[in-house]
Amino acid sequence: LFSDFQCPACKALHEQTIRRVKAEYARPGRLRLVHHDFPLPQHTYARRAAALAAAADRIGKYDVVADALFARQDSWSNTGNVEAVVDSVLTPEERRQVYEAARDPAIAAAIERDVQLGNRMRVSSTPTMIVTHRGTSNPVVGVVSYPVSSRFLDSLLGSGP
């Protein structure tokens, strides 16, 4: 999944589909979901949001931070105060760890590698999912509802949840 935290379509996909795909397919081990940050150039604060989410991942808080960033996207997208959203879902100690990790150049480098991978895979908009099964890649661009996604995944996996 190539996604941008400041992209309204990515927010919709995350809230309508990705959370359920994680719960019903990824966590039970039916598929592997890999998130790639793909902050679009026109989204001024997306790279900062990606860095803070990646830093939160280091302390096991990616999902809670990502959920908050998408839930409050309208607010921080206008103000640029990404930190207020992150702060709202972490303890003071977790905040300290996240902000320290976010300064690690490896975080920025990982985001840049995701962008370069997306460019090599011809990702031109977000969200874009590349569903790969038995060596065949199926690009899925835009917001796809959970019912449609689950039918597609079940057809690839050969069964229902």
Side-chain angles (χ1 to χ4, degrees):
L1 170 63
F2 290 88
S3 184
D4 173 331
F5 283 106
Q6 201 170 344
C7 163
C10 295
K11 170 186 168 65
L13 182 71
H14 176 81
E15 292 176 347
Q16 296 169 20
T17 305
I18 296 302
R19 280 194 263 191
R20 285 189 66 191
V21 167
K22 282 182 179 182
E24 296 178 25
Y25 290 88
R27 286 190 192 106
R30 298 184 65 212
L31 63 74
R32 184 169 159 237
L33 178 65
V34 179
H35 175 268
H36 295 283
D37 288 304
F38 200 77
L40 298 171
Q42 66 268 32
H43 291 151
T44 308
Y45 310 114
R47 201 169 279 263
R48 178 66 177 156
L52 291 173
D57 189 43
R58 289 188 176 180
I59 64 164
K61 293 292 183 170
Y62 177 84
D63 285 336
V64 71
V65 168
D67 287 348
L69 287 168
F70 281 125
R72 296 184 44 205
Q73 182 187 78
D74 290 344
S75 170
W76 65 264
S77 288
N78 290 324
T79 66
N81 195 354
V82 181
E83 290 78 4
V85 175
V86 173
D87 291 352
S88 74
V89 295
L90 298 176
T91 67
E93 176 58 21
E94 290 167 342
R95 284 183 220 136
R96 185 195 64 71
Q97 292 173 330
V98 165
Y99 290 117
E100 182 179 312
R103 288 191 295 273
D104 183 347
I107 296 274
I111 293 167
E112 189 54 35
R113 279 192 306 277
D114 281 354
V115 170
Q116 295 304 319
L117 175 63
N119 289 336
R120 284 193 308 276
M121 297 182 86
R122 295 190 172 98
V123 172
S124 61
S125 64
T126 57
T128 295
M129 292 183 284
I130 311 291
V131 180
T132 304
H133 181 68
R134 295 188 179 159
T136 302
S137 292
N138 304 282
V140 180
V141 179
V143 180
V144 180
S145 71
Y146 179 77
V148 170
S149 296
S150 66
R151 281 194 301 275
F152 175 62
L153 294 173
D154 288 344
S155 75
L156 294 176
L157 298 171
S159 65

